[in-house]
Amino acid sequence: MMFPTDWSAARAFSLLSLLLLALSSAPPCSADVVDGGRLFPAGVRYEYESTTTVLAGGSADNRDPEVGHRVVGRLSVENLWPATDAADEKLLRLHFKSLKFQTWSKKSKNDINRQFIDRKSRIDRFSDQPFFAHWRNGHIENLYASSANSLTEENFKKGIAGLFQFQLSNQHTIEYSTLGKCNVTYEKINENSVSKRIDGCVLPTTLPPEIKHPDKIWQGTLRSKREGLLIYNQESFTDMSLEENHEYRTSFMNEVGASISSKQHIELKETKQNGDIVKANSFEEAINQLEKQLKLKLEKQNLSPKHEAKNCKHYNLCNKFNDVVKKYHDSLLDSELGKSKSAYAAIKVIDAIENSDTETIKKVLSDKKNKDIVTQLYDLLGAALNENSHKASMETLVFTDAKNVEQIERYLWSASIKFNPKIEIIKSLMSITDEKLTNKKVMDTLFNTVTAMASRLDRYNHTDTNALLCGELVIRTLERLEKCKQDDDECILTYIRALSNLKHPLSIEVLLSFAQHGNRMTSAYAMKTIKMFGPSLWNSRVLKYCNQIFFQLVKEQDSSTRVIALAILLESDPDYDLLKHVVKWLATPSEGYEIKQYALELLKEMANQNETSARLLRTVLVREKLNHYGNMAQRGLSSCFSRKFINYNNITGLVKNSQQIYSGVTKRGSVDIVLEHENVKYDLCSFGMFTTGLGYFTSLYDDSGKKDTSDEANLPATAGLELIVFGVHIRPFIMFSSQGQLMGHIWAGTGSDKTPIIQGISQMIEHLEYVPLSNGITAELNVKGTLSLDISGQIEMSLWNKNAQSIIEKNGGISIQGSLKLDTDLVTDEVDFALNTEGLLHMHSDAEFATKIVLCMQIYFVDTNVTTTVRKNQKVHGLSYKSYTTTTRTHPVSGRTFALNQMVNEFCNTIHSQ
């Protein structure tokens, strides 16, 4: 009867044995800690050969010989403190010996055969003292070191200490190092090796603030890759490497950019027994004993790198503003505007402005030698827009002086485009708007500038303070708009343009009211402003009003207002019923055929840009049996289309043309340059023209149909130009505002010579980014881009021959310049890259009006070149040694002409055949 009891005891013993065996073979709760903890046992010194290499060069598509350097030496590593209660804590002693500085030789053009050669350098000043790291659970908690002779030395030691952060099992963790706070993934390859991948790094707080344009197209792309390999035995690492590659490219060309590669590598060479062991009950006690033993004061530090402010002020090598202006004087003349030459010079001058004080800037502005470029200098002061440049501008510009109008407006236009203006500067300009300025042009431009700057500040740096300022300006603008007299179109349009810059939902209701109840001019401007707001603010109420305005459900509306309302409807994912009603409306006999022609063009453009809407339109035409001549074969001159002129590097460039014709004359037209990048549209520039009351031509035009019953033909003869640059509304330029002024221009031949319409230089790209490397060096990426704009026109008219010819030239010179710099006390490695090009868009028109209007219009881009340059520089400090290489490439870009429509082509054939 004892058998069951013995059997139970045996079974219990067996189960206990199996449990103990399972526990002994199962991984502990923190296997990585135990595994990592077994490396670097106390009392053993490990000698490594250490190599830290840095190379800098062009982008992947411009791989010419790189510049670079490396630091080699002997690194000893030992654990001084055998922690008794935790194998997951160590006191590592790190000591460098026989450090050498080397640069990459240029003697061989074959990179495979290139070698590093020794150079005398300031590395001899590095301290020979060891430094210490607190290792816990695979992380370096802190670094303990005596005072370094330079920040370069201090950061270098932090980079070496960071190598000894490791885990030996598969896991994801967060590590703090010279890279900042990073996500790190460890993957076990085999029993003796582990891979390490680093990504998602958040920059160390010790680095200065960065400057990044919120629109990606102006930022460019920085791609980074950081990977390491750890090979170990039972005691220590036998080989450890950490490689990283960073490549920056502009959004416009792959060839324009720079790259950095860095590699840290240590290889075990010797193992020695060592009796240097610190006996202490805690880590703090161990550090205190070391300080007494070494007679050193050990400073506790984390691994965040300290920023080495190696700018031109540090080296006392800043280019003086006066010298830079003198050097680039001829490039800034009026004759060079619209060319890449002036855009290139502008960046150099902006850099000098940013390093100049107020008094220096004022002296250059008042120098008589700069009298012929002083207006361009105000452009560049507005582009720099810092405290000193703004103060100098405010102290030299007199807003009540008629002689300063051009310079004031040029400064304000340039400042309005700045994407990150300072709130103090905005408030400074706001205070001027409270003054009673007699010059309406200046007041218009000033208010547009303030509203544009406040809007950009709120959108790109949204804080409670910035939002409050923007909201205050919206209310102030609405209040001023309300005080305008009903017949004072100039006053009303000033504040509607300000609302277009603010793009605030609070203004929607007021704009809708003007669109539906205003006169022909204010209603069109209000509707155009709503369209500029974009789909994000087109709610159901906006679409309801657009429907009422286009179909004239409440009252008769101006044709310009109606077609803008229709454009909003068609860009808002129109439904079946809307498209059906619009197509049926095309057959309405009581409507003027030019507006029907324009509406048809909008339908075609919608179908070209939106495949979903295109399929829906085809369905409507088939189901409703509307696809016939009466609807789809209008005969007007009005046109609306877009054509591609760039399709490269994930960027699409579009030219959008819109011409609304009234009785043979352009009533309202525009040519827009739009860039698309990653499905986001960026409005680069919009050039518009408007006219009224050109009755002489109207009387000649035979529309063979219903006459327009509006007061269009009875309005005074006016013509003007509108410009929107980077989304900022510029005040219109009036060419003439009466029949008398028009005839005066004709008889005097005023426009027979090429006449500037608007000129200026503005900054479109400003980018400052820091790229910390695992070796402790921080690379600085600095990119600037400017646009030099020259829009001019020329018209010749003969009342005797009854013909006219005109040309409008939109010339834009673009320069993008950047640098990727690694600047330390030892060496400066730098890659400078640049892109220079010109965009020349010309609009030619020929008209004959002997018996009837025949109008030929041509839009085309002129042949141009894109020039890219990459320059690599190296300077070893303390020596006269310098090295540089320069590579320049030219890419031809063929011009092209854009077809408008069949009727215009026929007119062109008729005129040119004569």
Side-chain angles (χ1 to χ4, degrees):
M1 297 299 295
M2 295 297 292
F3 179 78
T5 303
D6 291 342
W7 171 249
S8 299
R11 185 171 63 176
F13 179 77
S14 299
L15 290 173
L16 180 60
S17 299
L18 288 172
L19 179 61
L20 291 173
L21 180 62
L23 288 173
S24 64
S25 60
C29 295
S30 55
D32 59 302
V33 172
V34 174
D35 286 344
R38 67 179 169 82
L39 299 187
F40 300 106
V44 182
R45 177 179 297 172
Y46 301 93
E47 298 281 346
Y48 292 91
E49 183 180 276
S50 170
T51 306
T52 300
T53 307
V54 181
L55 296 175
S59 65
D61 295 326
N62 196 350
R63 284 293 194 216
D64 295 311
E66 299 165 299
V67 294
H69 70 273
R70 72 179 182 184
V71 176
V72 297
R74 195 85 169 184
L75 173 67
S76 68
V77 182
E78 55 188 310
N79 179 14
L80 299 181
W81 179 50
T84 56
D85 57 346
D88 60 350
E89 193 171 18
K90 305 177 189 296
L91 172 57
L92 296 180
R93 177 183 184 271
L94 306 171
H95 193 188
F96 263 114
K97 297 178 181 177
S98 305
L99 283 178
K100 292 182 180 180
F101 177 81
Q102 301 175 335
T103 63
W104 205 359
S105 172
K106 283 179 57 181
K107 291 183 179 180
S108 174
K109 294 183 179 180
N110 186 346
D111 285 354
I112 297 176
N113 297 324
R114 289 181 69 178
Q115 296 178 343
F116 283 94
I117 57 176
D118 293 345
R119 297 282 185 189
K120 290 184 178 180
S121 71
R122 293 175 179 173
I123 202 167
D124 296 336
R125 302 180 185 178
F126 277 23
S127 170
D128 192 37
Q129 296 293 337
F131 55 103
F132 306 89
H134 183 192
W135 186 96
R136 177 186 287 170
N137 293 346
H139 300 273
I140 300 296
E141 298 285 326
N142 289 294
L143 198 67
Y144 295 82
S146 57
S147 297
N149 293 324
S150 67
L151 291 179
T152 300
E153 177 189 343
E154 186 175 319
N155 291 334
F156 178 71
K157 290 178 178 178
K158 291 179 178 180
I160 292 296
L163 282 176
F164 293 90
Q165 298 199 98
F166 59 87
Q167 307 292 341
L168 301 184
S169 62
N170 297 330
Q171 63 173 283
H172 301 281
T173 186
I174 293 176
E175 291 182 357
Y176 294 85
S177 66
T178 56
L179 304 175
K181 178 183 177 182
C182 301
N183 298 321
V184 184
T185 302
Y186 291 91
E187 292 184 359
K188 198 169 180 65
I189 300 173
N190 53 44
E191 290 300 319
N192 296 314
S193 59
V194 174
S195 68
K196 181 177 183 178
R197 188 175 71 252
I198 304 173
D199 55 25
C201 293
V202 178
L203 285 182
T205 56
T206 52
L207 297 179
E210 296 183 320
I211 300 174
K212 289 186 179 181
H213 200 291
D215 295 333
K216 287 186 178 181
I217 193 172
W218 308 122
Q219 287 183 10
T221 303
L222 177 66
R223 292 187 175 90
S224 299
K225 183 179 181 180
R226 299 180 174 100
E227 292 182 332
L229 178 63
L230 292 66
I231 302 175
Y232 54 93
N233 56 25
Q234 295 299 315
E235 292 187 0
S236 67
F237 289 109
T238 58
D239 193 284
M240 184 193 302
S241 62
L242 181 59
E243 294 186 52
E244 52 187 314
N245 294 282
H246 307 273
E247 182 183 11
Y248 173 82
R249 296 180 178 185
T250 64
S251 297
F252 303 96
M253 290 193 73
N254 291 337
E255 297 91 336
V256 183
S259 61
I260 304 172
S261 61
S262 169
K263 182 176 181 179
Q264 292 174 281
H265 180 240
I266 61 171
E267 183 179 0
L268 183 64
K269 292 298 182 182
E270 190 176 0
T271 302
K272 298 179 180 178
Q273 295 298 317
N274 182 31
D276 293 340
I277 294 178
V278 177
K279 295 182 180 180
N281 295 322
S282 66
F283 183 84
E284 289 73 18
E285 184 181 340
I287 289 294
N288 290 334
Q289 288 190 31
L290 275 175
E291 288 185 319
K292 293 177 182 179
Q293 179 183 335
L294 300 174
K295 297 181 181 180
L296 290 174
K297 176 62 179 175
L298 299 178
E299 181 184 352
K300 181 180 178 180
Q301 306 171 17
N302 58 32
L303 295 186
S304 295
K306 290 187 178 179
H307 181 59
E308 300 185 62
K310 303 295 196 263
N311 50 29
C312 64
K313 292 180 180 179
H314 172 83
Y315 293 115
N316 196 26
L317 292 174
C318 291
N319 293 320
K320 294 182 180 180
F321 185 33
N322 183 56
D323 294 338
V324 175
V325 171
K326 182 179 179 180
K327 180 177 180 180
Y328 293 102
H329 175 278
D330 292 347
S331 298
L332 295 176
L333 293 170
D334 289 347
S335 59
E336 300 300 326
L337 290 171
K339 300 178 183 178
S340 59
K341 185 177 180 180
S342 65
Y344 178 87
I347 295 178
K348 303 300 183 184
V349 177
I350 290 172
D351 285 339
I353 291 174
E354 292 173 347
N355 294 311
S356 301
D357 57 34
T358 302
E359 291 305 316
T360 300
I361 296 172
K362 289 168 64 177
K363 287 180 181 178
V364 172
L365 291 172
S366 59
D367 191 336
K368 294 181 179 180
K369 295 179 181 178
N370 300 324
K371 186 177 180 180
D372 52 351
I373 62 167
V374 70
T375 306
Q376 279 76 272
L377 291 179
Y378 278 109
D379 285 335
L380 304 182
L381 291 175
L385 202 66
N386 58 23
E387 182 180 347
N388 291 332
S389 66
H390 181 67
K391 186 177 180 182
S393 301
M394 293 300 98
E395 291 179 2
T396 54
L397 292 172
V398 181
F399 279 72
T400 55
D401 188 351
K403 296 180 181 179
N404 284 165
V405 170
E406 184 181 6
Q407 295 166 5
I408 292 170
E409 289 199 299
R410 290 276 285 269
Y411 175 74
L412 294 174
W413 287 333
S414 184
S416 67
I417 296 172
K418 184 84 169 181
F419 85 90
N420 58 343
K422 293 181 172 59
I423 193 169
E424 295 80 13
I425 294 177
I426 298 176
K427 289 182 177 180
S428 167
L429 294 174
M430 281 178 65
S431 64
I432 303 176
T433 64
D434 294 329
E435 302 175 10
K436 291 185 177 180
L437 300 178
T438 56
N439 192 301
K440 292 183 179 180
K441 291 181 180 179
V442 171
M443 189 63 191
D444 191 337
T445 301
L446 177 62
F447 211 84
N448 271 278
T449 298
V450 170
T451 51
M453 292 171 71
S455 176
R456 285 176 179 270
L457 183 66
D458 183 38
R459 279 184 291 143
Y460 296 155
N461 184 20
H462 186 72
T463 64
D464 291 341
T465 302
N466 295 341
L468 187 64
L469 176 67
C470 189
E472 178 186 342
L473 270 170
V474 173
I475 294 172
R476 182 182 296 192
T477 305
L478 292 174
E479 288 176 348
R480 293 196 177 193
L481 180 58
E482 188 177 3
K483 292 179 182 178
C484 291
K485 297 179 181 179
Q486 290 186 355
D487 59 348
D488 190 350
D489 289 350
E490 190 174 354
C491 176
I492 293 172
L493 296 180
T494 294
Y495 298 112
I496 287 181
R497 282 190 291 273
L499 292 176
S500 75
N501 288 331
L502 287 166
K503 295 180 175 63
H504 201 283
L506 282 176
S507 59
I508 289 288
E509 285 298 324
V510 174
L511 292 170
L512 287 174
S513 177
F514 272 103
Q516 191 162 57
H517 304 294
N519 61 34
R520 60 175 304 281
M521 185 172 290
T522 57
S523 65
Y525 258 91
M527 187 54 69
K528 182 179 179 181
T529 298
I530 293 172
K531 189 174 187 302
M532 288 180 63
F533 282 7
S536 62
L537 295 181
W538 297 343
N539 55 28
S540 58
R541 185 168 176 79
V542 170
L543 299 180
K544 178 183 177 181
Y545 267 74
C546 288
N547 191 73
Q548 292 175 352
I549 289 170
F550 174 69
F551 290 107
Q552 302 188 112
L553 302 180
V554 176
K555 54 171 279 192
E556 285 194 7
Q557 299 284 352
D558 175 71
S559 59
S560 296
T561 308
R562 294 177 67 190
V563 295
I564 298 172
L566 178 60
I568 292 175
L569 291 171
L570 296 181
E571 291 179 23
S572 303
D573 296 325
D575 57 20
Y576 185 94
D577 286 340
L578 175 63
L579 293 179
K580 179 182 70 174
H581 291 138
V582 172
V583 176
K584 283 186 175 181
W585 171 87
L586 291 174
T588 306
S590 59
E591 290 285 359
Y593 66 84
E594 283 293 1
I595 188 173
K596 291 194 292 183
Q597 172 67 37
Y598 193 87
L600 180 61
E601 294 283 318
L602 286 175
L603 285 171
K604 292 178 180 178
E605 180 65 10
M606 175 201 71
N608 288 333
Q609 299 298 321
N610 189 322
E611 181 58 34
T612 302
S613 296
R615 286 196 299 267
L616 186 60
L617 177 60
R618 288 194 293 268
T619 302
V620 169
L621 293 175
V622 173
R623 286 185 183 177
E624 303 296 332
K625 299 180 180 179
L626 297 173
N627 192 19
H628 54 75
Y629 182 86
N631 291 316
M632 309 304 291
Q634 303 298 326
R635 61 182 183 83
L637 291 173
S638 297
S639 63
C640 178
F641 65 86
S642 60
R643 301 285 187 268
K644 290 182 181 180
F645 69 94
I646 292 177
N647 191 8
Y648 176 78
N649 198 25
N650 200 26
I651 289 181
T652 301
L654 297 175
V655 176
K656 291 189 173 184
N657 177 70
S658 170
Q659 299 294 328
Q660 185 191 352
I661 305 297
Y662 171 78
S663 295
V665 180
T666 299
K667 178 183 178 183
R668 183 173 291 276
S670 67
V671 177
D672 305 341
I673 308 296
V674 179
L675 299 180
E676 291 185 1
H677 181 247
E678 297 180 353
N679 297 320
V680 179
K681 293 184 178 181
Y682 302 93
D683 296 317
L684 194 63
C685 179
S686 174
F687 178 81
M689 182 174 68
F690 59 89
T691 66
T692 62
L694 297 184
Y696 178 76
F697 302 103
T698 301
S699 63
L700 290 175
Y701 196 76
D702 177 21
D703 63 10
S704 301
K706 176 184 176 292
K707 297 293 184 180
D708 195 323
T709 57
S710 69
D711 61 351
E712 186 83 30
N714 300 320
L715 292 171
T718 60
L721 302 172
E722 300 171 313
L723 187 66
I724 301 172
V725 181
F726 295 108
V728 178
H729 220 305
I730 307 296
R731 69 163 180 83
F733 297 83
I734 306 300
M735 294 184 288
F736 54 85
S737 57
S738 67
Q739 190 78 19
Q741 289 183 10
L742 169 60
M743 297 309 294
H745 285 305
I746 292 174
W747 292 118
T750 311
S752 298
D753 297 326
K754 186 178 176 182
T755 306
I757 299 170
I758 183 171
Q759 296 176 317
I761 307 173
S762 54
Q763 185 169 256
M764 59 183 183
I765 297 175
E766 183 179 10
H767 186 86
L768 176 63
E769 186 171 1
Y770 296 98
V771 186
L773 304 179
S774 56
N775 58 29
I777 300 174
T778 298
E780 180 182 285
L781 173 64
N782 196 337
V783 187
K784 282 186 171 69
T786 54
L787 169 67
S788 176
L789 188 65
D790 175 31
I791 300 180
S792 56
Q794 179 179 351
I795 183 169
E796 295 181 354
M797 182 179 293
S798 171
L799 294 180
W800 180 262
N801 294 317
K802 292 183 171 57
N803 60 23
Q805 298 82 37
S806 68
I807 178 173
I808 296 177
E809 296 182 355
K810 298 172 68 174
N811 298 330
I814 296 174
S815 181
I816 300 174
Q817 298 173 48
S819 68
L820 190 58
K821 181 186 294 187
L822 299 95
D823 209 347
T824 68
D825 282 337
L826 293 177
V827 62
T828 296
D829 294 319
E830 182 175 7
V831 179
D832 298 322
F833 51 91
L835 177 151
N836 295 290
T837 188
E838 294 170 358
L840 312 175
L841 177 65
H842 294 178
M843 300 166 54
H844 285 212
S845 64
D846 294 279
E848 292 188 358
F849 43 91
T851 56
K852 62 179 293 184
I853 291 290
V854 178
L855 176 64
C856 169
M857 180 179 292
Q858 296 172 303
I859 302 175
Y860 63 94
F861 274 101
V862 181
D863 290 347
T864 188
N865 291 314
V866 177
T867 302
T868 60
T869 304
V870 177
R871 178 185 174 95
K872 307 174 191 74
N873 311 278
Q874 185 176 65
K875 164 66 179 172
V876 179
H877 299 303
L879 298 177
S880 59
Y881 173 79
K882 291 183 180 180
S883 171
Y884 70 89
T885 59
T886 303
T887 304
T888 301
R889 297 177 179 177
T890 301
H891 310 261
V893 179
S894 300
R896 61 185 63 187
T897 301
F898 303 103
L900 301 185
N901 55 39
Q902 184 61 36
M903 183 173 289
V904 172
N905 289 345
E906 292 174 0
F907 284 163
C908 290
N909 292 336
T910 300
I911 291 178
H912 293 161
S913 66
Q914 300 172 6

